Amino acid sequence: MIRERLGKIFAEKEIYFRTSGTVRFVRISSTVQIAAASVLGALTLAWLVATLSMAYNQVSVAHDRAVLDAKARSVAAEAGKVKAFKRSINDIAADLDRRQDTLDDMVRTQFGTLDAAPDVVGKPDEKTGADSAAADNSGEKLSAVAPGIETLRMIEQRQTRFAHRLAALVDARAEKAAAAIRSFGLNPTQIAKRNAVGLGGPYVPWKGGVGDDDDALSQLAHSMARLNALERGLLAIPSGKPTASPMLTSSYGYRRDPFNGRAAFHAGIDFKGRYGQPILAAAAGRVSYVGGRQGYGRVVEVDHGNGIMTRYAHLSSFTVKRGQKVTRGLTIGRMGSTGRSTGTHLHFEVRVNGAPINPRRFLEARQDVLKVQQIAKQRFARVSSQNL
């Protein structure tokens, strides 16, 4: 069947040519036609195979390129994440550097240095965090060495623990100051309010990566402010003897008036001594009055803040001027017998908000109270000298 069809299709053919009256012909046999057709078919098949192969290759290359492009985009995205992560790490490290600087500055401005204030922050060999929380063994800044996120978290936690621990110790010390103030019969809350340092300036929020509102640092700052107010108030309370004379010739309160013998109120304590004996300021303050007062003779009055004033009367002379700052123990005058006086002595008064109170509680302060005062005095002196 197929052979018959092929025979018809490729039947022997004769092609005639006529040139210059001469007729020629070419006979093409079935075998030649089949061979030519086979060759043409083979060439066509080869062309199709080549075309399909090229098309396949193009599709495959396009697919591979798409895969490579996707991988490249993925790698670029991961690289971007890594870069952003590194940038975030550096930002956090820089924030922790600033946080540590704040902690260091708080300790330095309030206590001098950790080594200089072991009674406040603990023993020198204790791991508090302020000495090593912000830097590695090389001592470089965190923002420079860019440690891992876990290391940064540990450092942040260590800083926070130190801030809370220091705040607790500061609060305990503040309570000692408050107890000492109460021992003088004064209100520590009022003293603290009057000694609060004036603060101000524009509000600039903290933008640290460890939290916009740092509770640990805020608590520490509040504790330190309260301690400062209480200890400054404690230092202003007169507790030093106004003269070297140990004898009290007349007590505070009821007595018989030395001139008329009638019952009278004595608003201070009298110290007997020699004429010209130095009279000393009982506490630091500012001289608020120098001159004569009726009944008192020549007087020096010192304002110690917090509504506390000391009066030194019957003086023979003055060694200070009004408005002058004085320290505890500074000579402010000389003993005499001016005014309503029967002999050489010092009349010493302590007044709170204008009302006289018994000076004995100030002159006979307990040793533990005096020790708290002395520690506060040493702290302020140390901070003042180290922050010049």
Side-chain angles (χ1 to χ4, degrees):
M1 187 80 177
I2 295 176
R3 182 172 297 190
E4 290 179 357
R5 285 190 177 181
L6 290 175
K8 290 180 179 180
I9 293 173
F10 297 105
E12 188 177 272
K13 295 179 176 58
E14 292 180 349
I15 301 175
Y16 289 89
F17 301 92
R18 184 173 182 177
T19 304
S20 301
T22 303
V23 177
R24 295 185 177 87
F25 67 91
V26 176
R27 181 179 291 118
I28 303 175
S29 64
S30 299
T31 302
V32 173
Q33 291 182 50
I34 292 173
S38 298
V39 171
L40 182 60
L43 292 174
T44 302
L45 180 61
W47 177 79
L48 288 174
V49 170
T51 301
L52 291 174
S53 178
M54 290 177 63
Y56 174 79
N57 288 335
Q58 289 178 351
V59 172
S60 178
V61 168
H63 177 267
D64 292 342
R65 182 174 296 172
V67 171
L68 290 175
D69 289 343
K71 288 183 177 180
R73 287 192 297 271
S74 177
V75 170
E78 292 300 322
K81 290 180 181 179
V82 171
K83 186 176 181 180
F85 179 74
K86 288 182 177 180
R87 185 167 56 250
S88 176
I89 289 290
N90 289 333
D91 290 343
I92 294 174
D95 289 335
L96 287 176
D97 276 337
R98 289 191 291 270
R99 193 174 192 247
Q100 185 61 41
D101 288 341
T102 301
L103 276 171
D104 292 341
D105 189 60
M106 282 184 175
V107 174
R108 181 182 60 80
T109 56
Q110 300 301 322
F111 304 108
T113 62
L114 288 178
D115 292 338
D119 57 318
V120 177
V121 297
K123 297 178 180 179
D125 58 346
E126 290 180 344
K127 298 297 184 181
T128 60
D131 54 348
S132 59
D136 63 2
N137 294 332
S138 66
E140 295 182 79
K141 283 285 191 179
L142 293 174
S143 53
V145 298
I149 188 66
E150 291 301 323
T151 302
L152 293 179
R153 286 174 179 166
M154 291 175 62
I155 292 171
E156 178 191 355
Q157 292 170 0
R158 192 173 184 181
Q159 287 178 345
T160 300
R161 286 196 302 269
F162 171 71
H164 283 312
R165 179 174 177 270
L166 181 57
L169 293 170
V170 168
D171 287 339
R173 176 162 168 168
E175 285 306 314
K176 290 183 179 180
I181 292 172
R182 280 191 291 269
S183 72
F184 291 110
L186 302 175
N187 188 328
T189 301
Q190 293 178 354
I191 295 291
K193 286 182 179 179
R194 287 172 176 167
N195 282 275
V197 178
L199 301 173
Y203 172 68
V204 180
W206 172 262
K207 293 300 184 182
V210 294
D212 291 342
D213 295 318
D214 198 320
D215 293 336
L217 293 186
S218 296
Q219 178 186 345
L220 179 57
H222 174 76
S223 297
M224 286 184 172
R226 181 171 180 266
L227 174 65
N228 279 341
L230 287 171
E231 289 194 339
R232 288 187 187 279
L234 180 61
L235 288 179
I237 296 175
S239 58
K241 292 188 63 176
T243 184
S245 176
M247 186 179 297
L248 302 178
T249 59
S250 184
S251 298
Y252 174 88
Y254 169 81
R255 75 170 183 177
R256 294 181 65 83
D257 185 82
F259 287 92
N260 58 31
R262 297 177 182 177
F265 174 73
H266 190 229
I269 292 179
D270 291 345
F271 292 80
K272 186 177 181 179
R274 71 181 189 279
Y275 187 87
Q277 182 171 310
I279 304 302
L280 314 176
R286 186 184 295 274
V287 177
S288 58
Y289 182 82
V290 175
R293 287 196 184 279
Q294 185 177 3
Y296 288 98
R298 292 177 178 173
V299 171
V300 172
E301 296 175 355
V302 178
D303 182 3
H304 304 282
N306 310 305
I308 302 173
M309 181 268 282
T310 52
R311 176 178 290 164
Y312 311 79
H314 306 308
L315 304 181
S316 62
S317 62
F318 314 118
T319 57
V320 292
K321 297 179 180 180
R322 183 177 181 179
Q324 180 180 336
K325 287 185 177 181
V326 296
T327 57
R328 176 179 173 179
L330 180 72
T331 299
I332 59 176
R334 300 288 175 178
M335 188 177 292
S337 186
T338 58
R340 198 169 184 268
S341 171
T342 60
T344 301
H345 73 287
L346 167 70
H347 173 84
F348 176 67
E349 287 185 15
V350 177
R351 290 178 175 262
V352 177
N353 298 323
I357 62 174
N358 192 344
R360 187 179 294 275
R361 68 180 63 174
F362 299 97
L363 301 178
E364 297 178 354
R366 301 192 311 267
Q367 286 300 314
D368 58 335
V369 173
L370 295 178
K371 183 178 180 181
V372 174
Q373 266 192 328
Q374 184 63 23
I375 291 174
K377 181 179 179 180
Q378 291 173 352
R379 177 171 78 89
F380 286 118
R382 180 173 61 244
V383 170
S384 177
S385 63
Q386 292 184 358
N387 292 323
L388 290 178

